[in-house]
């Protein structure tokens, strides 16, 4: 017979690693010799201390392998608002009030999602108060567009245009009479004058100053048969203004003319010739658009009627109307 068998028919621990098994016949790891009762004091074959026979389910009623309830580990109930084990609502979701439907909670969560979505997309919101009524579920209302639309700008509406009565310079005025158009000869413009579009359809007025009254402009007449003639009442149709400005130092030798005054006395008046320059301007803008040359104011013979200064006893001859018409014919032909 071989002496490899352990005494008393005992077997080594099969779970011990190779080389660390106790020798045959050694006492178990508990220190108790083979054959003694376990440390619990219960004889071999006795039921467990719990009283349940071996193989029975635990006292909790849960099958082996199932996760025990929180009471098994002495865990307390979860804090309000915190998640717990199966059956609890999602984190931070407040429990519905007693007797109320959970639909208000669900609608509130849906409204929060809609609000967050619209805020991210740039839309506006109309806020609605939600109640907990089971019959009428409130519906969140949102207004605005998720995608902002284009807004109109001045550049998209087109360039600004100058209206018919908007000034083009600081000296622009609105004429009420034909004499008001003489402001063009002082550097101004007429807001309600006709625009100059060419010589063929233009209507014209002509004004002249005098050596003794350089800032006073009198209207000069010409034949009403001319195509550029306009009545005084039709001043708004004028688009061309002719300005006759006296040439400084151009006065000629005075001609002595005698007249009988209203009191019956005979007076002598110095009748003086001079020269003028004629320029043409657009009535609406005041812009110079042409030259009419030189117009003489002859004093070769004494007129039948004369206006004179009683202090200086001088009178200045008026520009020749025939020369003015000839200059207008050339420019407005």
């Amino acid at each position: 017979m071989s002496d490899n068998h352990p005494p008393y028919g005992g077997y080594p621990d099969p779970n011990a690693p190779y080389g660390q098994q106790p020798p045959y016949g050694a006492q178990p790891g508990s220190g108790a010799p083979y054959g003694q009762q376990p440390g619990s004091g219960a004889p071999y074959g006795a039921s467990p201390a719990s009283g349940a026979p071996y193989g029975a389910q635990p006292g909790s009623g849960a099958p082996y392998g199932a996760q025990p309830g929180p009471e098994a580990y002495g865990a307390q109930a979860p804090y309000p608002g915190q998640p717990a084990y199966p059956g609890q609502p999602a984190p931070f979701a407040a429990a519905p009030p007693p007797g109320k439907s959970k639909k208000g909670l669900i609608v509130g969560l849906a409204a929060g999602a809609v609000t967050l979505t619209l805020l991210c997309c740039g839309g506006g919101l109309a806020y609605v108060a939600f109640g907990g009524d089971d019959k009428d579920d409130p519906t969140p209302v949102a207004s605005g567009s998720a995608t902002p639309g284009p807004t109109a700008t001045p550049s998209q509406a087109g360039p600004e245009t100058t209206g018919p009565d908007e000034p083009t310079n600081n000296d622009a005025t609105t004429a009420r009479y034909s004499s008001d158009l003489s402001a063009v000869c002082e550097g101004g413009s007429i807001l309600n004058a006709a625009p100059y579009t060419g010589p063929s359809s233009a209507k014209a007025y002509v004004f002249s100053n005098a050596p003794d009254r350089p800032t006073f402009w009198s209207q000069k007449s010409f034949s009403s048969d001319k195509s550029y003639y306009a009545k005084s009442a039709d001043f708004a149709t004028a688009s061309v203004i002719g300005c006759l400005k006296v040439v400084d130092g151009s006065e000629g030798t005075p001609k002595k003319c005698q007249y009988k005054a209203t009191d019956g006395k005979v007076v002598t008046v110095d009748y003086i010739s001079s020269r003028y320059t004629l320029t043409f301007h657009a009535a609406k803008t005041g812009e110079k658009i042409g030259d009419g040359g030189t117009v003489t104011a002859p004093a070769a013979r004494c007129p039948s009627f004369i206006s004179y200064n009683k202090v200086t006893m001088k009178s200045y001859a008026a520009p020749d109307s025939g020369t003015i018409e000839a200059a207008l014919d050339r420019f407005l032909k």
Side-chain angles (χ1 to χ4, degrees):
M1 293 182 64
S2 172
D3 56 356
N4 291 332
H5 295 283
Y8 309 109
Y11 293 94
D13 186 0
N15 294 323
Y18 184 78
Q20 298 182 10
Q21 297 180 357
Y24 288 102
Q27 293 182 355
S30 62
Y34 285 102
Q36 287 189 357
Q37 295 183 355
S40 61
Y44 284 105
S47 297
S50 63
Y54 284 104
Q57 294 184 352
S60 62
Y64 285 103
Q67 188 174 2
E71 66 277 0
Y73 298 99
Q76 296 180 355
Y79 289 98
Q82 291 184 343
Y85 287 94
Q88 291 285 346
F92 307 107
K100 298 296 183 177
S101 173
K102 295 183 179 179
K103 293 183 179 180
L105 173 61
I106 298 174
V107 172
L109 293 176
V114 172
T115 302
L116 179 60
T117 303
L118 290 177
L119 287 176
C120 294
C121 298
L125 289 176
Y127 296 95
V128 178
F130 298 104
D133 194 357
D134 292 338
K135 295 181 180 179
D136 298 325
D137 291 336
T139 302
V141 178
S143 63
S145 174
T147 304
T151 56
T153 62
S155 60
Q156 293 175 339
E160 295 182 359
T161 57
T162 302
D165 293 334
E166 292 183 2
T168 56
N169 61 48
N170 294 341
D171 296 320
T173 59
T174 298
R176 296 179 297 170
Y177 309 100
S178 60
S179 59
D180 293 337
L181 274 70
S182 64
V184 175
C185 297
E186 292 285 350
S189 61
I190 307 302
L191 295 174
N192 56 334
Y196 176 72
T197 58
S200 59
S201 60
K203 302 294 182 180
Y205 285 104
V206 178
F207 298 91
S208 173
N209 66 353
D212 58 340
R213 301 178 70 182
T215 60
F216 177 79
W217 299 83
S218 60
Q219 186 175 346
K220 300 304 172 183
S221 60
F222 46 83
S223 176
S224 60
D225 295 335
K226 300 297 182 179
S227 61
Y228 45 80
Y229 173 82
K231 296 179 181 180
S232 296
D234 299 332
F235 64 88
T237 64
S239 59
V240 175
I241 302 298
C243 298
L244 284 163
K245 185 176 181 180
V246 68
V247 178
D248 293 336
S250 63
E251 295 89 344
T253 301
K255 184 177 180 62
K256 302 295 183 179
C257 297
Q258 291 184 344
Y259 296 93
K260 189 176 182 178
T262 56
D263 58 359
K265 294 180 179 179
V266 177
V267 294
T268 301
V269 178
D270 290 338
Y271 190 50
I272 304 171
S273 64
S274 60
R275 296 189 304 276
Y276 290 79
T277 57
L278 175 61
T279 56
F280 297 109
H281 302 260
K284 193 171 187 65
T285 64
E287 179 186 3
K288 181 181 176 180
I289 56 177
D291 288 306
T294 300
V295 177
T296 61
R301 34 179 208 174
C302 296
S304 57
F305 178 82
I306 194 169
S307 177
Y308 61 95
N309 188 314
K310 291 182 178 181
V311 176
T312 63
M313 299 302 292
K314 292 181 179 182
S315 177
Y316 290 90
D320 181 56
S321 57
T323 307
I324 295 173
E325 284 188 6
L328 286 169
D329 289 342
R330 289 191 300 268
F331 183 71
L332 299 176
K333 58 183 179 180

